[in-house]
């Protein structure tokens, strides 16, 4: 029996990440090869012509799963009846701008979009915030979408999670599919903590701890962490553009696992609303290890946190508390 189409909103759809993301969704990378989709593409009026070009290309690509495209600069029209919203659009930090200036710009953007989603999106809409500062933008969105449950609003740290998987696989000389259960704790910023203490690598003899395979604690506690933290800046330096392909792929991974579930014995990293787990202040959007089933995420509990990790978790939480206070001053 054919499935009903899922309506998926992508904001900032004419931008780099949006342009990389929408064909992946239309091809079935996000929700599977048998799930039809209708894409709702939103961007600002100056990008209207480019946005229409994206729509034209989607039509020209003749994706079998694509049942329709709504391309608009109208927020209400874009949000109407959507089941999934991927918030890629945001105001980027420019040279000479303070963090509070970026925060103020994004508050106005997310206030309008959150209000429209609150009123016009489908019941039980799932929202993923990609635009930076992603954790705090998600928190702002939550404030202005009071009828949308906290559990339905998340932010993207899967990009950092995937970067960590890639670094471990490269160092160990294994396929990335053989590595699982790295964790990104905290903020999608340079204070995030990529943690391999509970990660494993599948070998011919079974699963073994990453620290047993990569017997180099200096690298795992040093260069590995800073490489993942600073990977976005390194890509900008190399490409002269920010991450697009990897960000789009990670957004698909995030939604796919959230909707379809995580494999047994595997957790992934998602920025979700903190309930105080692992000593993190409640009321933040914080990246945790989560498992997903039945369209719901659950913070994975019971992991041991050593002294080194505790300091890292607390430092990134402190930054988020500061960003939250700054954002609320802009409300």
């Amino acid at each position: 029996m054919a499935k009903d189409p899922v309506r998926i909103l992508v904001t900032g759809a004419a931008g780099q990440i949006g342009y990389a993301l929408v064909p992946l969704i239309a091809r079935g990378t996000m929700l599977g090869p048998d799930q039809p989709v209708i894409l709702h593409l939103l961007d600002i009026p100056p990008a209207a012509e480019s946005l229409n070009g994206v729509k034209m290309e989607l039509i020209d690509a003749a994706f079998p799963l694509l049942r329709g495209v709504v391309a608009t600069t109208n927020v209400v029209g874009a949000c109407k009846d959507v089941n999934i919203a991927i918030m890629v659009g945001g105001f980027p930090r420019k040279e000479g701008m303070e963090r509070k200036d970026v925060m103020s710009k994004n508050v106005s953007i997310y206030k309008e979009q959150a209000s429209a989603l609150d009123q016009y999106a489908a019941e039980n809409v799932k929202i993923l915030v990609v635009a930076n500062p992603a954790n705090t933008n998600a928190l702002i969105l939550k404030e202005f979408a009071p009828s949308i449950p906290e559990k339905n609003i998340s932010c993207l740290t899967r990009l950092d999670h995937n970067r960590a998987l890639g670094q471990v696989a490269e160092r160990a000389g294994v396929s990335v599919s053989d590595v699982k259960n790295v964790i990104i704790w905290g903020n999608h910023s340079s204070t995030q903590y990529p943690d391999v203490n509970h990660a494993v690598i599948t070998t011919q003899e079974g699963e073994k701890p990453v620290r047993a395979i990569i017997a180099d604690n200096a690298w795992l506690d040093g260069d590995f962490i800073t490489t993942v933290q600073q990977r976005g800046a390194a890509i900008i330096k190399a490409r002269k553009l920010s991450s697009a392909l990897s960000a789009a792929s990670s957004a698909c991974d995030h939604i796919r696992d959230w909707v379809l579930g995580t494999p047994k014995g595997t957790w992934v990293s998602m920025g979700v609303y903190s309930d105080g787990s692992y000593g993190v202040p409640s009321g933040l959007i914080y990246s945790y290890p989560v498992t997903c089933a039945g369209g719901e995420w659950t913070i994975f509990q019971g992991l041991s946190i050593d002294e080194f990790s505790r300091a890292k978790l607390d430092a990134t939480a402190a930054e988020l508390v500061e960003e939250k206070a700054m954002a609320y001053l802009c409300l």
Side-chain angles (χ1 to χ4, degrees), residues 102-173:
V102 181
M103 204 74 71
S104 178
K105 294 283 188 182
N106 279 298
V107 164
S108 61
I109 293 169
Y110 276 81
K111 180 178 180 179
E112 180 185 22
Q113 294 178 356
S115 297
L117 285 167
D118 194 57
Q119 293 180 65
Y120 300 105
E123 187 177 358
N124 206 35
V125 61
K126 286 179 166 58
I127 301 171
L128 168 61
V129 176
V130 176
N132 288 319
N135 299 61
T136 303
N137 283 343
L139 201 61
I140 293 166
L141 191 149
K142 174 189 164 294
E143 285 296 314
F144 292 104
S147 73
I148 297 175
E150 296 163 354
K151 65 183 178 67
N152 285 24
I153 299 173
S154 64
C155 82
L156 185 71
T157 55
R158 184 60 174 269
L159 174 55
D160 308 298
H161 181 99
N162 287 352
R163 286 167 170 166
L165 291 175
Q167 289 298 307
V168 169
E170 188 173 49
R171 187 77 171 192

Side-chain angles (χ1 to χ4, degrees), residues 277-301:
S277 291
Y278 293 100
V280 174
S282 59
L284 300 175
I285 301 287
Y286 190 94
S287 184
Y288 282 105
V290 304
T291 57
C292 303
E296 305 285 345
W297 54 263
T298 302
I299 296 171
F300 191 89
Q301 300 290 346

Side-chain angles (χ1 to χ4, degrees), residues 31-46:
L31 295 179
D34 62 345
Q35 178 59 66
V37 296
I38 297 172
L39 284 168
H40 289 224
L41 311 181
L42 175 67
D43 218 308
I44 57 176

Side-chain angles (χ1 to χ4, degrees), residues 21 33 64 73 81 100 145 166 210 214 217 236 264 267 306 314 316:
L21 176 58
T73 60
D81 298 327
K100 63 181 180 182
V210 163
I214 302 176
N217 287 337
I236 290 172
K264 186 177 180 180
W267 61 69
D306 62 20
D314 290 347
T316 192

Side-chain angles (χ1 to χ4, degrees), residues 174-314:
V174 300
S175 168
V176 73
S177 62
D178 292 329
V179 186
K180 70 177 185 179
N181 294 352
V182 299
I183 304 168
I184 302 298
W185 298 98
N187 199 3
H188 176 61
S189 75
S190 60
T191 68
Q192 65 175 261
Y193 173 42
D195 177 6
V196 298
N197 288 328
H198 309 282
V200 295
I201 294 174
T202 299
T203 71
Q204 291 182 339
E205 292 78 35
E207 292 182 350
K208 294 189 176 182
V210 163
R211 286 190 183 273
I213 301 295
I214 302 176
D216 188 348
N217 287 337
W219 181 78
L220 290 169
D221 294 336
D223 286 349
F224 163 73
I225 293 174
T226 55
T227 295
V228 176
Q229 289 173 335
Q230 299 170 12
R231 189 67 162 187
I235 288 170
I236 290 172
K237 184 177 180 181
R239 290 189 70 228
K240 309 301 183 278
L241 294 166
S242 60
S243 307
L245 181 156
S246 55
S249 179
S250 299
C252 286
D253 292 344
H254 178 114
I255 296 293
R256 183 192 64 242
D257 286 345
W258 190 1
V259 174
L260 302 180
T262 47
K264 186 177 180 180
T266 301
W267 61 69
V268 294
S269 302
M270 287 175 60
V272 298
Y273 198 73
S274 171
D275 60 359
S277 291
Y278 293 100
V280 174
S282 59
L284 300 175
I285 301 287
Y286 190 94
S287 184
Y288 282 105
V290 304
T291 57
C292 303
E296 305 285 345
W297 54 263
T298 302
I299 296 171
F300 191 89
Q301 300 290 346
L303 296 173
S304 60
I305 305 296
D306 62 20
E307 187 177 349
F308 178 85
S309 298
R310 181 76 265 163
K312 297 289 188 184
L313 266 68
D314 290 347

